[in-house]
Amino acid sequence: MEYRYILCETPAPGVGLVRFNRPQALNALNPRLIAESFAALADFDADEEIGCLIVTGNDRAFAAGADIKEMAERNAIEMMTADDITDWGAFEQLRKPVIAAVSGWALGGGCEYAMMCDFIVASETARFGQPEITLGIMPGAGGTQRLPRAIGSRLALEVMLANRHLKAPQALQLGLVNHVFPVETYLAETIALAGKIAAMPRIAVQLIKDAVRKTGQMSLPDGLDYEKKNFYLSFDTEDKREGMAAFIEKRPPQWRNR
Ligand code: DAK
């Protein structure tokens, strides 16, 4: 696939970075941009050299939502049948961790995209919001489900009903984002963090991500069962043997990702 609205790079060993690149429209998410970003993430996910993924925008905007100009003339059936903000569920299939590096606007579908990622690193200028109500619609890519789970339903409702924006410091306090850094360094910090994750034994990384993502989908007993199966699986890796041998022999482990 040739990319028009995204850029891809590997800014550090093991790190695959996808950058939204429609700066003149504050990275408004049109169907092609979404499809391109999912395709690029899937490619990095399948790439043996890559251990951790980053999605970012630019300093002014992560993404100011789905493209309003493209949605303006659409009715319900057209939205439903166009299959155009493709299958956001495809994101769930990614096995490797995905970090959103967010600066500036993360509104509507932009906020939802960031929340789909495994976690978020923000710049001091990041602003999160779900302003769909001001357009006469409602969030449709996970906002009503993921935001309440992240910050509680009372505040999430105010964000969605009164178009309240969450600035970076509050997002940090609420646990919506993991870190806030100055705008000059947030991306470098995210890349460093992604590099650290990419240097961990990859099968264990994926088993952990897989188990944690089940938390919202299973009861605690089922989740504990699921965790235990992944835990036992991790004992069948070469990295388990290497990690424990390295500890006992007091030397750094040499991961083989097998
Ligand atoms: N769509 C299209 N263009 C956008 C845009 C958007 N969401 N946001 C900004 N732009 C464009 C502006 O039109 C402007 O273009 P020109 O007029 O220069 O051609 C350019 O980006 C710069 O924007 P502003 O001039 O407005 O910049 P300001 O700094 O003054 O304001 C702002 C920044 C972020 C406060 C403002 O641009 C704004 O309010 N933007 C709209 C935010 C918004 O309402 N977002 C929610 C969109 S609805 C789906 C699931 C989910 C969704 C869709 C489908 N399915 C399951 C199929 C999601 C829906 C949404 O996200």
Side-chain angles (χ1 to χ4, degrees):
M1 182 182 225
E2 216 170 276
Y3 298 139
R4 195 192 311 166
Y5 295 123
I6 63 163
L7 300 169
C8 296
E9 49 179 302
T10 49
V15 179
L17 184 144
V18 174
R19 183 189 289 279
F20 301 147
N21 189 33
R22 284 188 81 196
Q24 71 291 352
L26 301 184
N27 291 331
L29 304 168
N30 63 17
R32 176 149 182 172
L33 185 157
I34 298 281
E36 288 182 1
S37 69
F38 284 2
L41 288 170
D43 280 353
F44 278 137
D45 202 50
D47 184 339
E48 278 189 13
E49 299 299 314
I50 299 296
C52 189
L53 319 181
I54 296 174
V55 181
T56 195
N58 55 46
D59 292 351
R60 186 173 172 211
F62 177 74
D67 193 314
I68 299 166
K69 293 165 190 169
E70 295 199 9
M71 290 187 296
E73 300 303 325
R74 291 262 172 92
N75 63 30
I77 299 299
E78 285 163 350
M79 284 298 285
M80 200 178 80
T81 54
D83 186 25
D84 81 353
I85 301 257
T86 29
D87 177 17
W88 292 68
F91 202 90
E92 297 291 327
Q93 308 306 318
L94 298 171
R95 293 167 306 142
K96 295 172 184 169
V98 190
I99 308 174
V102 175
S103 185
W105 302 109
L107 299 179
C111 183
E112 290 170 313
Y113 200 124
M115 289 192 295
M116 282 194 300
C117 297
D118 293 301
F119 58 87
I120 303 172
V121 174
S123 88
E124 285 167 346
T125 66
R127 284 175 83 118
F128 300 85
Q130 299 287 164
E132 289 87 344
I133 196 153
T134 66
L135 302 168
I137 59 169
M138 63 173 283
T144 66
Q145 302 305 304
R146 291 198 176 94
L147 192 61
R149 283 170 166 83
I151 67 171
S153 60
R154 292 183 177 85
L155 185 55
L157 268 173
E158 189 181 330
V159 168
M160 287 181 260
L161 299 179
N163 188 23
R164 173 168 167 184
H165 289 177
L166 300 172
K167 294 184 182 169
Q170 193 184 9
L172 180 65
Q173 195 186 24
L174 290 163
L176 180 62
V177 310
N178 285 26
H179 301 280
V180 175
F181 293 110
V183 71
E184 296 79 16
T185 59
Y186 78 98
L187 189 55
E189 295 281 2
T190 312
I191 292 166
L193 181 54
K196 190 173 175 185
I197 294 170
M200 296 294 180
R202 302 240 171 103
I203 296 174
V205 167
Q206 289 172 28
L207 289 172
I208 292 168
K209 166 170 169 158
D210 176 55
V212 170
R213 283 185 86 84
K214 291 288 183 289
T215 50
Q217 304 160 20
M218 286 181 172
S219 68
L220 182 59
D222 287 348
L224 291 172
D225 254 4
Y226 194 89
E227 176 192 73
K228 210 166 289 161
K229 298 216 168 76
N230 279 9
F231 172 73
Y232 293 143
L233 266 181
S234 70
F235 274 67
D236 241 3
T237 61
E238 286 182 27
D239 288 337
K240 174 263 171 183
R241 285 187 286 281
E242 167 63 6
M244 295 199 181
F247 175 82
I248 291 162
E249 293 159 19
K250 299 187 187 301
R251 61 171 174 83
Q254 298 287 322
W255 304 124
R256 308 187 65 182
N257 301 321
R258 288 206 285 257

